[in-house]
Each structure stands twice: as C-alpha cells, then as structure tokens.
Amino acid sequence: MRVLVAMSGGVDSSVVAALLVEQGHEVVGATLQLYDHGAAIRKKGACCAGQDIHDARDVADRLGIAHYVLDREQVFRREVIGDFADTYARGETPIPCIRCNQTVKFRDLAALAADLGCEALATGHYARRVDGVHGAELHRAADAARDQSYFLAATTRTQLTLARFPLGDMPDKASVRALAARFGLAVADKPDSQDICFVPEGRYDTLVGRLRPEALAAGEIATSDGRVLGTHEGIARYTVGQGRGLGTASWDGADKLFVAGVDAPARRVIVAPRGAIESTQAIAAEVNWLVDAPDAPLRCQVKLRAREAPRDATVAWDAATGLLRITLDAPGIVAPGQACVMYDGDRVLGGGFLRARGSVDSARAAA
C-alpha cells in the first residue's frame, strides 16, 4: 500500500516508517510543525518542535522516502493550547493529548493521506487496530505499561479504518529501540518526550496565566459548607483529588483535605476529606462511539484518568442530550475535563470528556 506515516522525530514513529518500508509499502512521511522553529529548537522534551523536525527528515532521508512538513501552528494554538487554557479557566483539568490526536493529528493527517492517495495512516502509538466482524476495532496494546488507547478514544470510526498502529504488538520499548538500532536510525537512543509537549519545563500555570489571566487570580480555599480555610493564587493550579499546594487549608482538625471541586466564577477551591471527594456518579459529554451506541444501560469498564486501571461500571447513553451517565461499582475520583474511556476487556468502546455534575454546558455537550 501507499502509507502516510506521522513522523514526530522520535524513535517510535521512526521505527514505524522503517518497518513499513521493510515490508514493501510505499511510505510517505509527514511531520507536523506545531511551534516556531527558533523557539522550539531550544525546548527539551518537546515533540513536533525544531530539532524533532530535523530528526524526522534525517530518518526519511535514510529510508529513502518522501517527507513533508505541515505548518499547523495556528490550528494547534487555537484547538489544543487554547482549549487547554480555557479548560483550566473553567475550573476543569484538561487532557491535551486527546485534543491533539482528535484535531491536528488524525483529522488533518487523514485529510493529507486522502490528498496524497494513501490507503492508510500509520502512527507510533502503542495501541492495536483489529479487523472485527463489523469493521476496525481499537484495542489496548500488548505492553500494558505503554498502552495509549486511552488517548485515542476520540478517533472516529472512519479514521480508525484508515489507521495502522504497527507498534501495538511490541512487548516493550526496549524491543522498539533494538529495531531502531538494527535499521541504523540515529534516534535509536533518543529520550522519550516528557510532560506536556508544549510545556516541556512543566510550568503549565505560566502558559495558562498568559492566555487566561483570570485563571491565576487569587481566591479562597473553603470547605463545602463555606468555611474559609486559606487562600490560593489561581484556580489553574488545582485539580480534583489534589492534596498538595493547599497551605493552611491542608487540614481541618485531624482530617487531611483534598481538592473536591473548583468554583471558577467565584474563584474558590473547595476542599474535603478523601472519602468525601469520591463519587459513584459521573457525566461525560462530547462522546465518540467506536461501536454502535447502546440503547440500554451497558456494563463495561471505564478509565477516568490515563494512569488508573479500568474500573467496573454501568453507562447509560442519552442520545437526545448527547450525555453519557456513568455509575461506578466502587467510588472513584471524578475530575471534570479528563476523559472517560469505556472498555470491554481490551477493546475500546468509546469515550467522552467528564463534566461537573449539574453544570453541563449544553453547547459543548452537543459539539
């Protein structure tokens, strides 16, 4: 086939390109430029930046394949970085990797693949695409420690039909680096990207403050019954379940306190003991189904955060409102803004973005 490979300049996507060339496919490489070259080239641990573009081009030259660089700075700034800052300003916790996959990666690269006459779009994600009875299915990777299926839950069924994930069956990252060495790729020992790619130094609050200054305005830290225990320097610095950074509001008598919620209009952070912040109920919007949407309550497993294990739950889909109502078998921490991804064993059924109970934005829910 003619295959478009999304080449970030890292070892994973480089190995994907090399494997497909070795298998006899006609491979075309594409790299997304998401930052200004001059600024990006100095960023350590960032992907899709200056040095990474050079690395991707070098790999393409070694493999003898065509390579394109797509300028997506403005789109990335608007749809990923802007959404990141907006989500914090609403008092929620964003998950930008899903937004990036949903927009500048799969949407834009799928369009490029069509323009170039490619029959497939391959990426370096650790996930598996399985041809099922009713079409392409998304499954977790063989290496559970590196599985990225959670971050691909917003991929549409049409995009999944086009997608290929050659690393999905790899047993571990060491095997991928060994392949890179065998192919003679200079990126074989290149470190993995760290933190959020556009905030490589980890100071996301500085970025949010520049774009949404109100998210770093001072406010109160209080209990759910209104007792003020302390102050904070911006709601963007807090997420549901967080126990650090509360200062004098870290304890209420003998009880250790955690963030239970964020009231953005009042610039107030709500705290409570650990047991009080857990819930068995959640709501998700912007739901993307990778199976036929169920017309009755569905038993499945859900992940409410990228680094937690799937937990048993019952979900109910309301097509009229576009909302997914989740009932967990055991209480968990529900952080609005994060993703809820549904699984049946290893298979991804779909996913959406968690919303605060009772304050669902109908416009975003219908998006």
Side-chain angles (χ1 to χ4, degrees), residues 24-289:
H25 299 290
E26 179 186 353
V27 175
V28 179
T31 302
L32 298 166
Q33 183 212 318
L34 305 179
Y35 311 92
D36 171 76
H37 280 75
I41 202 165
R42 294 191 296 273
K43 293 184 177 181
K44 302 297 184 183
C47 72
C48 307
Q51 185 59 50
D52 296 303
I53 293 172
H54 293 300
D55 290 344
R57 182 177 289 117
D58 288 345
V59 169
D61 288 345
R62 178 170 181 81
L63 298 176
I65 63 174
H67 179 252
Y68 296 89
V69 177
L70 283 71
D71 182 352
R72 288 296 184 270
E73 282 190 51
Q74 291 186 1
V75 175
F76 187 76
R77 188 179 302 118
R78 179 180 66 249
E79 300 193 23
V80 179
I81 298 179
D83 179 82
F84 179 82
D86 288 343
T87 303
Y88 268 118
R90 290 197 305 271
E92 301 180 352
T93 306
I95 183 161
C97 292
I98 292 182
R99 288 293 186 201
C100 185
N101 285 331
Q102 183 183 38
T103 55
V104 295
K105 288 189 178 174
F106 280 88
R107 184 194 64 199
D108 291 2
L109 288 177
L112 177 64
D115 289 344
L116 296 177
C118 294
E119 301 166 68
L121 168 62
T123 76
H125 288 101
Y126 287 80
R128 291 184 297 132
R129 175 194 175 280
V130 176
D131 288 317
V133 175
H134 301 292
E137 301 175 359
L138 178 62
H139 289 243
R140 288 194 285 185
D143 182 0
R146 302 198 70 85
D147 172 54
Q148 294 175 306
S149 60
Y150 178 86
F151 299 103
L152 297 170
T155 306
T156 68
R157 296 172 85 169
T158 299
Q159 292 166 348
L160 188 59
T161 299
L162 186 70
R164 300 294 186 274
F165 307 116
L167 303 186
D169 290 315
M170 288 290 176
D172 51 38
K173 186 60 176 272
S175 300
V176 177
R177 292 195 182 279
L179 280 174
R182 177 168 73 80
F183 288 124
L185 304 181
V187 296
D189 296 320
K190 185 176 180 177
D192 291 340
S193 297
Q194 301 294 322
D195 301 316
I196 300 170
C197 69
F198 54 89
V199 195
E201 303 304 325
R203 292 306 304 268
Y204 70 89
D205 52 340
T206 302
L207 171 68
V208 174
R210 187 171 71 248
L211 297 177
R212 302 291 182 270
E214 68 276 16
L216 290 189
E220 297 174 337
I221 302 176
T223 62
S224 58
D225 59 5
R227 289 182 295 116
V228 177
L229 302 181
T231 60
H232 64 78
E233 295 300 322
I235 59 173
R237 295 187 168 100
Y238 298 90
T239 183
V240 172
Q242 179 176 326
R244 56 181 174 75
L246 296 174
T248 59
S250 296
W251 295 87
D252 186 13
D255 293 325
K256 176 75 173 85
L257 300 181
F258 300 84
V259 177
V262 177
D263 183 347
R267 300 200 306 274
R268 175 172 283 196
V269 174
I270 310 301
V271 292
R274 179 80 181 189
I277 69 173
E278 296 183 334
S279 175
T280 58
Q281 302 296 314
I283 293 174
E286 298 182 73
V287 178
N288 175 61
W289 288 102

Side-chain angles (χ1 to χ4, degrees), residues 275-282 304 311 326 328 330-334 357:
I277 69 173
E278 296 183 334
S279 175
T280 58
Q281 302 296 314
L304 303 181
R311 53 178 69 234
I326 305 127
L328 304 171
I333 295 176
V334 178
R357 294 186 302 278

